[in-house]
């Protein structure tokens, strides 16, 4: 009887460990078990998308309002085209807002941050951000710093 209790305890411990690993893998990969609900698409063009990936979050004032649906190269203008799914409840993004690719922390994941503009007309399904800021590539910045070319080009 005592051996049976030990075996059940070890089995339960192993099962909890496996569930914790699965939960951590889902969290790290950005997958969600919840349906995203109603969304609409917005587009943005960036000179450099950096390490931005599909399913990266889109935030506004620190709150997640959507996710990146697709990243592709526009062959006509040689820029990265990012297609975003924005939560349908956030339907009042001014047309002069800025989409920036930023990094969470020094070495964290990249995501899109939307800075609100002041225009009274709003972006609608299929429209695009006119003002964008590309990803900051740390290696390029360090290279410019080492060569002493930072701020000489401005």
């Amino acid at each position: 009887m005592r051996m049976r209790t030990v075996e059940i305890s070890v089995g339960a411990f192993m099962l909890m460990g496996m569930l914790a690993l699965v939960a951590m893998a889902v969290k790290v990969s950005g997958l969600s078990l919840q349906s995203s609900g109603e969304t609409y698409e917005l587009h943005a063009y960036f000179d450099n998308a950096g390490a931005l990936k599909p399913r990266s979050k889109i935030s506004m004032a620190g709150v997640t309002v959507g996710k990146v649906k697709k990243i592709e190269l526009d062959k006509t203008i040689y820029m990265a085209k990012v297609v975003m799914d924005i939560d349908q409840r956030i339907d009042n993004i001014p047309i002069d807002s800025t989409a920036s690719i930023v990094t969470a922390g020094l070495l964290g994941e990249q995501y899109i941050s939307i800075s609100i503009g002041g225009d009274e007309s709003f972006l609608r399904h299929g429209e695009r951000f006119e003002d964008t800021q590309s990803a900051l590539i740390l290696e390029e910045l360090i290279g410019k710093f080492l060569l002493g070319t930072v701020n000489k080009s401005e």
Side-chain angles (χ1 to χ4, degrees):
M1 183 69 180
R2 183 172 180 194
M3 191 65 174
R4 185 95 165 147
T5 304
V6 171
E7 288 176 353
I8 290 174
S9 298
V10 170
F13 182 75
M14 291 298 294
L15 184 63
M16 289 189 318
M18 297 284 226
L19 290 175
L21 283 175
V22 169
M24 189 171 68
V26 168
K27 180 74 175 170
V28 168
S29 67
L31 295 175
S32 174
L33 300 176
Q34 302 170 352
S35 65
S36 60
E38 295 290 321
T39 60
Y40 65 100
E41 277 187 12
L42 292 179
H43 302 172
Y45 290 87
F46 295 96
D47 291 328
N48 189 340
L52 191 69
K53 294 180 175 67
R55 294 191 318 262
S56 294
K57 73 177 184 178
I58 299 168
S59 75
M60 185 182 307
V63 178
T64 301
V65 297
K67 63 182 178 181
V68 173
K69 182 177 183 180
K70 183 171 50 172
I71 303 169
E72 61 189 12
L73 178 68
D74 188 326
K75 294 190 293 187
T76 58
I77 57 175
Y78 301 107
M79 294 178 78
K81 177 183 178 183
V82 176
V83 180
M84 300 176 263
D85 279 337
I86 306 291
D87 190 344
Q88 188 70 39
R89 295 175 294 169
I90 314 297
D91 61 350
N92 57 349
I93 300 174
I95 203 162
D96 61 343
S97 298
T98 302
S100 307
I101 298 175
V102 294
T103 304
L106 186 58
L107 300 173
E109 66 177 321
Q110 289 191 324
Y111 64 97
I112 294 179
S113 176
I114 298 174
S115 301
I116 299 300
D119 203 304
E120 294 181 4
S121 56
F122 304 120
L123 290 169
R124 297 287 168 226
H125 176 76
E127 293 184 338
R128 67 179 238 190
F129 288 93
E130 294 296 330
D131 188 19
T132 59
Q133 293 180 349
S134 295
L136 178 65
I137 307 299
L138 194 58
E139 293 84 9
E140 289 179 9
L141 189 62
I142 291 172
K144 285 181 181 179
F145 180 75
L146 292 175
L147 296 174
T149 58
V150 176
N151 293 331
K152 286 185 178 179
S153 62
E154 295 178 8

